[in-house]
Amino acid sequence: MSSRAVKTEAVVLRSMRYGEADRILQLYTPGRGRVSAIAKGVRRTRSRFGGRLEPFFRLRIELHEGRSELLTVTGAQTVDGHARLRGDGRALDAAARACDAVGRLFETTEPHPGVYNLLCRKLSLLDEQAGIGATADRAAALAFRLKLLLAAGLAPQLGACASCGEREHLVGFSGAAGGVVCAACEAGSFALDQRAHLFMAEALGRPLTDAPEAVDSALGQVERAIAMTLEHHAHVRLMPAAGSSR
Ligand SMILES: [Zn+2]
């Protein structure tokens, strides 16, 4: 296999120190999914990459692809550095959780350009809201996760019982069945509040900028529904959607 140059946009999901001066990056790209790359000499003060190979940077990046799965960064330009986000602890924490969720749920090189766009919108939104103390961190984080589920083909069934198709008396949520369940099918499910049900339907139907809100108890159920769906159907576990200081 010959080596070649790859040019793509990418968001830096993670950046880990490696050796004396290098970094290993986990990148999310529109056309190649999640890729790992090494940036050499990036921690030297006069590195040509400057400080832009840090988490949450949106870049136009050049990579060298050889025989290894690890690509080599040969160039990078900033598309958006999300500078405001970097000065706000809560926004940084939310960005880290969003990037972690994308990295875990979409860990292969299978392309999901919709997920890339969603992540870019999420980071821009956090950047816009940084410093103004947005109050709905957990609701916004859960709305984002629901959209990731949709992109992964795992959106919970919400319109009818996921086991029998009944449209009335939808009282529970079953991760195994993949959605809401009726009173007759509730074995193995947990009780789901109307408000949690409505939140999920609205979050899936609205843009991220217009994400719904809900009381904390309902959000707790939504988070549990997402976690159970992911455990059953993707064998993935995510960090809590929001930090305890929300
Ligand atoms: Zn049923």
Side-chain angles (χ1 to χ4, degrees):
M1 193 169 106
S2 62
S3 65
R4 63 192 192 101
V6 175
K7 286 186 181 184
T8 178
E9 266 209 20
V11 168
V12 181
L13 299 178
R14 294 178 67 191
S15 172
M16 292 150 282
R17 289 172 170 225
Y18 185 77
E20 284 289 298
D22 304 343
R23 279 190 174 275
I24 305 263
L25 307 177
Q26 198 178 85
L27 303 167
Y28 199 77
T29 68
R32 302 171 65 104
R34 197 185 85 176
V35 302
S36 296
I38 185 164
K40 292 182 176 153
V42 69
R43 282 160 53 208
R44 293 197 187 100
T45 40
R46 286 202 267 164
S47 162
R48 65 208 147 112
F49 299 122
R52 60 178 74 90
L53 300 182
E54 296 293 325
F56 324 131
F57 265 84
R58 179 177 177 177
L59 304 169
R60 200 166 291 120
I61 200 161
E62 284 159 47
L63 302 161
H64 175 83
E65 184 174 37
R67 272 174 297 184
S68 156
E69 262 184 44
L70 195 63
L71 282 72
T72 304
V73 181
T74 52
Q77 292 173 290
T78 304
V79 175
D80 196 336
H82 303 114
R84 276 167 302 189
L85 181 160
R86 278 161 212 289
D88 179 326
R90 278 173 38 164
L92 269 176
D93 181 65
R97 288 169 203 268
C99 285
D100 185 73
V102 168
R104 284 177 201 273
L105 254 170
F106 300 95
E107 60 177 356
T108 68
T109 52
E110 190 187 331
H112 287 281
V115 171
Y116 181 77
N117 292 336
L118 195 61
L119 179 61
C120 289
R121 278 208 296 281
K122 176 71 181 170
L123 293 174
S124 311
L125 206 56
L126 287 170
D127 193 52
E128 278 169 34
Q129 292 168 345
I132 60 172
T135 54
D137 295 2
R138 192 184 190 190
L142 291 171
F144 177 70
R145 285 190 180 180
L146 283 162
K147 287 181 173 292
L148 291 182
L149 252 58
L150 182 65
L154 296 173
Q157 182 173 330
L158 299 174
C161 174
S163 290
C164 74
E166 169 68 51
R167 294 192 164 267
E168 306 281 317
H169 312 297
L170 301 169
V171 295
F173 188 95
S174 162
V180 294
V181 289
C182 72
C185 300
E186 69 177 334
S189 72
F190 68 89
L192 190 79
D193 200 288
Q194 271 300 320
R195 290 170 296 185
H197 190 166
L198 185 66
F199 178 92
M200 289 196 277
E202 288 185 343
L204 286 167
R206 292 191 195 172
L208 273 186
T209 46
D210 190 26
E213 290 190 34
V215 294
D216 224 39
S217 60
L219 294 178
Q221 293 178 0
V222 170
E223 184 154 2
R224 190 170 170 199
I226 293 170
M228 289 181 73
T229 302
L230 286 176
E231 268 177 43
H232 270 95
H233 301 286
H235 309 289
V236 167
R237 240 177 228 236
L238 300 181
M239 304 162 77
S244 52
S245 64
R246 79 184 181 277

